[in-house]
Amino acid sequence: MAGRVAVVVVVLLTAIAIWQTRGTGPDLSRVAVVRSPEGIMGTTCTLVAVVPRGREAHAQRGLDAAEQALREVDALMSTYLESSEISAVNRAAADELVSVSEELASVLVYSRDVWRASDGAFDATCRPMIELWRRAGREGSLPADAEMDAARESSSWKDFELLDNGVRKAKDTARLDLGGVAKGFGIDRAFEAIRAAGCDGVLVDVGGDVRVDGVDARGEAWKITVRNPFGPKPLAAFGLAAGSVCTSGDYERFVEIDGVRHSHIIDPRTGRPAGSVPSVTVVATDAMTADAWATALGVLGAEGLDRLPTGVEALLVEGDERSCRMITNREMERRLGEFGKPPCSEQ
């Protein structure tokens, strides 16, 4: 489930940077201050604050706070960092109480809620399954059925007790992975930091997952394009004045064993790679919601559309490069209008 590849492309960022440095564009009263910090959650990051000309210092303070927020979330929730709180929980022995921050506690509660709402398709307790399939990829050998079943049984939400003062596990093997939600939480934290600086426009892009508000440097809504998993022609494009867009795809990251590609997205209910949903794009008010449900729909496919929270939009691609189709819920269909039909089937 975790470690998915986000493939939403935000266009015009290069142009925004040019407007800032050259002072050109239809609306010279605004300037976009852009920062691309490195070492953020192991992926690319672009932060943009659009402010009235002369308020660049306010924008820089907002960007400082946003970058700090992202690094703090990474330090709390990255399984790649031995010093993180999530790693401390994963190392803990059964019945040991591990103190955690309010931030991590809130993400764990949210993750459990989405697990319930998605009928187990989104499951932050599936870390042993992820580790098993990563090892299989390195060794070039499929796990045995018994290994997959054991990994699935070794960790579940019934093994975690979320308390006011920390987390306690019922057994040593229970482990967590927040790869399907921590990035969204970090994006939201960074977004709020920039918006608090009093900007006309905000964009936070981490690994292609984005949250925006207000206007770009030209005074227009932010332009979003969704990458086609099977060709160069964009799958969809739309303007977004406020909200978040996250995409989950299995066509760039996968495990290949004996010439067969297996999705890196694990179905937590079976312990095996998820089915063929090459791309899922979700639009929501906040990034944590979009992040989690893009992951869940990557497992559920179109049958999961009825489980989406009110107001959440989704675009799915099913099939392969020879035969594929786009599926949307009504909210996304209205957003896409005539554009959304179907470059997929023309490949």
Side-chain angles (χ1 to χ4, degrees), residues 290-304:
D291 194 10
W293 280 100
T295 303
L297 289 178
V299 173
L300 292 169
E303 69 182 45

Side-chain angles (χ1 to χ4, degrees), residues 1-2 120-121 126 128-130 132-134 136 142-153 250 255 261-276 298-300:
M1 182 186 76
C126 73
M129 306 177 210
I130 295 168
L132 176 65
W133 279 95
R134 285 178 179 170
L142 283 174
D145 287 348
E147 290 180 296
M148 289 185 278
D149 292 340
R152 183 166 56 89
E153 294 297 326
D250 68 357
V255 173
R261 291 185 176 184
H262 301 272
S263 172
H264 74 287
I265 301 173
I266 304 301
D267 185 340
R269 303 166 300 179
T270 65
R272 290 152 175 79
S276 57
V299 173
L300 292 169

Side-chain angles (χ1 to χ4, degrees), residues 10 187 191 201-204 210-214 222 224 240-245 285:
V10 180
I187 290 171
F191 171 86
V202 179
L203 179 143
V204 177
V210 302
R211 185 171 175 183
V212 300
D213 187 48
W222 299 94
I224 307 292
L240 188 64
S244 180
V245 186
T285 301

Side-chain angles (χ1 to χ4, degrees), residues 103-300:
E103 290 85 355
L104 178 56
S106 67
V107 171
L108 291 178
V109 170
Y110 178 81
S111 298
R112 188 177 58 184
D113 289 345
V114 178
W115 167 71
R116 290 169 176 155
S118 67
D119 194 27
F122 179 90
D123 191 348
T125 72
C126 73
R127 179 72 183 176
M129 306 177 210
I130 295 168
E131 293 172 344
L132 176 65
W133 279 95
R134 285 178 179 170
R135 184 169 67 251
R138 292 192 300 269
E139 296 175 354
S141 177
L142 283 174
D145 287 348
E147 290 180 296
M148 289 185 278
D149 292 340
R152 183 166 56 89
E153 294 297 326
S154 66
S155 181
S156 68
W157 276 112
K158 72 177 183 292
D159 302 316
F160 287 90
E161 188 178 7
L162 306 183
L163 304 168
D164 291 340
N165 57 343
V167 177
R168 182 182 286 122
K169 302 192 304 187
K171 55 188 178 186
D172 298 345
T173 58
R175 296 193 296 283
L176 297 160
D177 192 299
L178 298 176
V181 68
K183 183 163 63 172
F185 178 78
I187 290 171
D188 288 336
R189 285 276 314 276
F191 171 86
E192 294 296 343
I194 299 176
R195 189 165 66 173
C199 302
D200 292 346
V202 179
L203 179 143
V204 177
D205 175 350
V206 180
D209 288 344
V210 302
R211 185 171 175 183
V212 300
D213 187 48
V215 294
D216 63 17
R218 299 178 300 178
E220 299 177 357
W222 299 94
K223 304 302 189 296
I224 307 292
T225 67
V226 181
R227 180 175 169 180
N228 190 330
F230 306 124
K233 186 176 181 179
L235 195 65
F238 50 86
L240 188 64
S244 180
V245 186
C246 294
T247 294
S248 175
D250 68 357
Y251 50 89
E252 285 194 337
R253 293 184 62 189
F254 49 85
V255 173
E256 185 168 342
I257 300 174
D258 295 331
V260 179
R261 291 185 176 184
H262 301 272
S263 172
H264 74 287
I265 301 173
I266 304 301
D267 185 340
R269 303 166 300 179
T270 65
R272 290 152 175 79
S276 57
V277 184
S279 178
V280 179
T281 297
V282 173
V283 180
T285 301
D286 62 279
M288 188 159 67
T289 298
D291 194 10
W293 280 100
T295 303
L297 289 178
V299 173
L300 292 169

